[in-house]
Amino acid sequence: MTAWGVPAFRCLLGAEAVSLSGSAVSTVALPALAVVELRASTTEVALLAFLGQLPNAFALWAGALSDRHPKRPQLIASDLAAAGALVTIPALAFTVGQLCVVVVVFGAAKVVHDAAAISLLPALVDQSQLHDANAKIGAAFSVADSAGTNAGAALVGAVGPVPSVPVDALSFLSSAVLVWHMRVPEPATAPRARTGLAGTRRPGARLLHPRAVGHPRPRGRAARP
């Protein structure tokens, strides 16, 4: 049996595809909203782009969080947080400052969601199905990202950026519903020493940059024999 035959995997695949499609719409709608509706300056648009990517710097902490706590609640909570942040745009008299807060919350929710989804996948399928599951998720990501970006451009052009944003909020709500219906027993987390999240992410930081954590750079030149 392939990974597609596992109901819980189908829910996760659908949740990831629909949320990524909606996120691709916001990739087009939010910058258009800043420029067209708020008349944002070049500096403000650059700041929005920077803040949108800033939560990616905390991906290691998100991975440690997903390793220590159940993944399904993290997926649902991050989806609801992203949807709630996006809904404030058409609901309130938005400003560039509000949009900055929205993109930070949106980006942080996406980082937590992605870390939890990656960690949950091995619990959904058998080890022999893991390669097939990863291949299906990768293909769904490519299609959803491309289709969502094109749909976002068409939607923004047709109805404007503000009415386009709730489409992404709806996608996150749909993702939360799919994850809610996913039933999978998660393995209990083994007890650990109280090192905190900073201590948990230290081994990962060593892999990314061996000299960055715990490996001081040697000073001076080595003595010659």
Side-chain angles (χ1 to χ4, degrees):
M1 183 177 67
T2 65
W4 183 254
V6 180
F9 171 74
R10 292 199 300 269
C11 287
L12 179 65
L13 183 63
E16 293 298 292
V18 72
S19 65
L20 183 61
S21 298
S23 297
V25 172
S26 282
T27 301
V28 179
L30 293 181
L33 174 64
V35 174
V36 176
E37 300 291 338
L38 300 179
R39 306 295 181 185
S41 65
T42 304
T43 302
E44 290 171 333
V45 173
L47 177 62
L48 284 171
F50 169 75
L51 292 175
Q53 296 299 320
L54 184 61
N56 292 325
F58 300 94
L60 288 175
W61 278 272
L65 183 69
S66 67
D67 185 51
R68 285 175 169 228
H69 302 284
K71 285 81 173 172
R72 277 185 67 246
Q74 293 181 53
L75 289 171
I76 295 172
S78 59
D79 283 338
L80 294 179
L86 292 170
V87 164
T88 64
I89 292 177
L92 301 177
F94 54 89
T95 62
V96 173
Q98 179 197 345
L99 202 56
C100 288
V101 175
V102 168
V103 297
V104 170
V105 174
F106 180 78
K110 188 175 184 302
V111 168
V112 173
H113 179 103
D114 290 348
I118 292 171
S119 301
L120 182 61
L121 183 59
L124 299 182
V125 298
D126 188 76
Q127 183 69 27
S128 61
Q129 301 169 328
L130 196 55
H131 178 74
D132 178 58
N134 279 312
K136 283 182 168 58
I137 286 182
F141 274 21
S142 298
V143 173
D145 187 38
S146 176
T149 302
N150 293 329
L155 191 61
V156 169
V159 301
V162 177
S164 302
V165 172
V167 173
D168 193 8
L170 183 61
S171 74
F172 277 102
L173 291 176
S174 301
S175 174
V177 170
L178 286 170
V179 175
W180 176 263
H181 285 289
M182 183 172 59
R183 294 291 179 262
V184 55
E186 295 189 45
T189 304
R192 302 187 181 198
R194 298 180 60 184
T195 57
L197 290 180
T200 304
R201 61 93 187 170
R202 188 177 294 271
R206 286 199 185 102
L207 290 175
L208 293 176
H209 198 313
R211 289 181 176 178
V213 180
H215 295 276
R217 188 186 301 273
R219 297 180 178 180
R221 290 182 294 181
R224 294 183 180 180

